[in-house]
Amino acid sequence: MTEKKQFIATEPSDKIRFTAESQDEQKTVLKITNQSEMKQAFKVKCTRNDLFRIKPSTGILDYNQTITVILIYRRVIGGQGKPPVEKQQFGVYHIPAPENCTCEGAWAEHYGPPQGEHKLKVVFNE
């Protein structure tokens, strides 16, 4: 079985960690690196927009460029500070981006599934 070439690398590569303490907002960092030989448009999505914020959530990465994305967990009011029971995750999706194209333009003109995706599970540490 041949391994599929990865055009985008993420750090961390498998899990996003937050602590389960009761502060209103927690931030962590996700680094995304373009390992391909062409520009890549990316999107970062999450399972619940009411719990998480992503800054920036979209963009274009040049060859070998790395971007730092801030992931923010916001405790739900009335949730007594406890993390959600259901499983949460972030997804990083990417497609080739033509030269002189905006991120929105690249996604608008793209047909079919993304070129690649990374799923990152959310883990709440006690």
Side-chain angles (χ1 to χ4, degrees):
M1 186 172 150
T2 59
E3 190 172 316
K4 188 177 174 185
K5 178 165 173 35
Q6 295 293 319
F7 295 105
I8 293 279
T10 62
E11 182 186 327
S13 62
D14 58 347
K15 293 178 182 143
I16 301 294
R17 297 185 184 280
F18 293 101
T19 56
E21 55 194 49
S22 62
Q23 49 186 338
D24 288 341
E25 189 174 280
Q26 297 176 49
K27 295 179 182 179
T28 192
V29 170
L30 170 65
K31 291 187 179 183
I32 304 171
T33 302
N34 180 1
Q35 298 180 321
S36 76
E37 296 175 0
M38 65 184 303
K39 291 184 176 187
Q40 296 283 320
F42 72 89
K43 285 184 185 181
V44 182
K45 295 185 173 187
C46 61
T47 46
R48 284 189 53 190
N49 290 329
D50 63 326
L51 291 179
F52 302 105
R53 291 288 180 257
I54 305 162
K55 295 180 182 182
S57 61
T58 62
I60 291 185
L61 286 169
D62 213 337
Y63 328 97
N64 295 315
Q65 182 183 3
T66 298
I67 189 167
T68 299
V69 177
I70 305 298
L71 305 176
I72 304 166
Y73 165 62
R74 300 181 327 143
R75 183 175 62 90
V76 177
I77 304 303
Q80 290 86 36
K82 295 179 183 174
V85 176
E86 67 275 8
K87 294 179 181 173
Q88 303 299 324
Q89 68 180 12
F90 289 92
V92 180
Y93 305 90
H94 63 90
I95 58 172
E99 289 294 327
N100 302 319
C101 186
T102 65
C103 181
E104 293 77 15
W107 285 101
E109 294 179 17
H110 181 76
Y111 295 101
Q115 182 179 42
E117 65 181 85
H118 289 261
K119 299 283 187 177
L120 300 136
K121 293 181 181 178
V122 174
V123 176
F124 291 96
N125 297 335
E126 294 297 326

